[in-house]
Amino acid sequence: MADHVLITGGAGFIGTRLARRFVDAGHTVTVLDSLLPQVHGDHPETTSPLLRSLDGVATVIHGTVTSVDDLRTALRGATIVVHLAAETGTGQSMYEIDRYVDANVGGTAKLLDLLANEEHSVGRLVIASSRSIYGEGAYRTDDGRVVHPPHRSDADMAAGDFEVHAPGEGALEMIPTDEGAALHPSSVYGITKQMQESLIMTVAPTIGVEPVALRYQNVYGPGQSLKNPYTGILSIFSTLIRQGKSINIFEDGLESRDFVYIDDVVESTFLAATLPAAAGRVINVGSGVATTVNDVVDALFAAFGTTVPTTVTGNYRLGDIRHNIADTTVLRTVLDYTPQTDFRSGVGRFVEWVLTEPVEESGYERSLKEMAERSLLK
């Protein structure tokens, strides 16, 4: 049976590919997107390849989730909603607090308010949550207990100690974080993602809508913005390499993330929106593999076939975490899906695409200056 799918924020990196996946499966798609200049340029109709990729695929509504009227229009006929719309970027969230809360929390509240109080045909609501809600995630003590440490202190990091500590504990071993872990985000962005998820998982069942929360890890791949300095280090470092500029690595370069390829994220999201077994579930979407920042640089140099000078600076950003790797058991058992693309292969595909794109200023230096001026970058 064909569904009518609304994807909020659907003109972005994930949404455009997800729209194509639904259409290829026989569904119809509507996209609601504010077409932010930070992502799409000042004239999206001509400057945004992502937007153009939706031609003939989806009905696009240029609007925002902070507008009840725009949401009401976009919801007409929808049977599935995938809520991707959000302001993203851990660092930026720490000084554009009102904008992040308004879009992420306020927009989600408006969506739920409409579903609770007006007629609609929505049966399932998928929220794009984030690994950021875990904060530092899960660690094992030397006697085998699992703990969820507090945020790293400014004093420790200023002294060059970037590891995670818990009061009264010795050395800690990072382990994959499962969906039952304590939630204690370390940034405004993470707080808003936790609130989005909590609102949807609490309200949706009371109004007859099946909720699913997907806690995305670090998504990367072709189509990722190369201009937006808040989209991740793969894009930032790629632009610096192409410009022949040096790369400054924060902390000691051993901080790690779980990088998950865009195709795996799209397939996981499609399954979460369509499989009966996913109803009511919270699911990590990641590779389950730790990749350090040093590993990222090495993989990019190999894929580009060139190098640039690198410096491990010892600088750090308040709000950043040390490690966070997903336990993917629920992804594999509930959605019966295992990510297919390993990091080296994914980086190779990403770089092949990057080399077809123009070299543009990413705004990275400006973003660092903004953080330093607010004492968030040390």
Side-chain angles (χ1 to χ4, degrees), residues 4-12 16 19 28-36 40 44-45 50-52 54-78 81 85 111 114:
H4 182 164
V5 184
L6 167 63
I7 307 176
T8 69
T16 50
T28 59
V29 175
T30 296
V31 162
L32 173 66
D33 202 291
S34 61
L35 302 178
L36 284 175
H40 297 279
E45 294 78 8
L50 289 172
L51 178 60
R52 293 198 301 273
L54 292 172
D55 290 348
V57 175
T59 299
V60 178
I61 298 172
H62 184 182
T64 172
V65 292
T66 60
S67 165
V68 172
D69 289 338
D70 290 345
L71 277 169
R72 183 180 289 116
T73 298
L75 281 166
R76 288 174 188 155
V81 176
L111 171 62
L114 280 173

Side-chain angles (χ1 to χ4, degrees), residues 5-6 39 71 110 138 185 209 220 234 245 253 268 288 313 321 370:
V5 184
L6 167 63
V39 177
L71 277 169
K110 286 179 172 63
V209 176
Y220 75 100
L234 280 164
K245 294 182 178 179
S268 298
T313 65
I321 61 169
E370 289 176 354

Side-chain angles (χ1 to χ4, degrees), residues 9-271:
F13 169 45
I14 298 172
T16 50
R17 286 179 175 244
L18 183 61
R20 170 65 70 181
R21 178 66 178 90
F22 276 112
V23 169
D24 287 346
H27 307 294
T28 59
V29 175
T30 296
V31 162
L32 173 66
D33 202 291
S34 61
L35 302 178
L36 284 175
Q38 185 169 288
V39 177
H40 297 279
D42 293 327
H43 305 285
E45 294 78 8
T46 57
T47 59
S48 176
L50 289 172
L51 178 60
R52 293 198 301 273
S53 74
L54 292 172
D55 290 348
V57 175
T59 299
V60 178
I61 298 172
H62 184 182
T64 172
V65 292
T66 60
S67 165
V68 172
D69 289 338
D70 290 345
L71 277 169
R72 183 180 289 116
T73 298
L75 281 166
R76 288 174 188 155
T79 55
I80 294 173
V81 176
V82 180
H83 188 35
L84 301 179
E87 297 289 350
T88 60
T90 298
Q92 189 180 46
S93 77
M94 300 295 283
Y95 56 90
E96 296 197 15
I97 300 161
D98 183 62
R99 182 162 74 93
Y100 273 70
V101 173
D102 183 45
N104 299 1
V105 181
T108 301
K110 286 179 172 63
L111 171 62
L112 288 169
D113 198 81
L114 280 173
L115 294 177
N117 292 292
E118 298 187 8
E119 289 188 8
H120 63 84
S121 52
V122 176
R124 181 163 295 190
L125 173 56
V126 179
I127 173 63
S129 187
S130 167
R131 56 90 184 159
S132 64
I133 70 175
Y134 292 123
E136 292 292 350
Y139 283 74
R140 183 178 290 116
T141 64
D142 53 12
D143 60 357
R145 290 173 293 113
V146 175
V147 296
H148 302 98
H151 312 317
R152 295 178 295 167
S153 73
D154 190 359
D156 282 347
M157 291 192 286
D161 179 3
F162 301 114
E163 295 303 328
V164 173
H165 303 285
E169 303 292 350
L172 300 175
E173 175 192 4
M174 184 271 294
I175 61 174
T177 301
D178 66 25
E179 291 83 353
L183 305 182
H184 54 137
S186 59
S187 66
V188 172
Y189 171 70
I191 291 168
T192 65
K193 297 307 287 185
Q194 181 182 355
M195 292 181 72
Q196 279 189 313
E197 179 183 310
S198 296
L199 283 167
I200 285 174
M201 299 306 289
T202 300
V203 174
T206 72
I207 57 175
V209 176
E210 297 173 342
V212 186
L214 300 180
R215 295 175 179 169
Y216 292 155
Q217 294 283 324
N218 291 62
V219 187
Y220 75 100
Q224 189 169 3
S225 176
L226 299 174
K227 296 183 293 185
N228 183 353
Y230 306 102
T231 55
I233 61 172
L234 280 164
S235 291
I236 292 166
F237 288 175
S238 291
T239 297
L240 293 173
I241 290 168
R242 296 186 75 194
Q243 293 171 333
K245 294 182 178 179
S246 61
I247 293 175
N248 292 329
I249 298 173
F250 290 171
E251 300 188 17
D252 55 5
L254 299 179
E255 62 274 27
S256 66
R257 297 293 184 268
D258 182 336
F259 291 93
V260 57
Y261 192 66
I262 180 63
D263 290 354
D264 291 318
V265 172
V266 167
E267 190 62 21
S268 298
T269 307
F270 175 80
L271 294 171

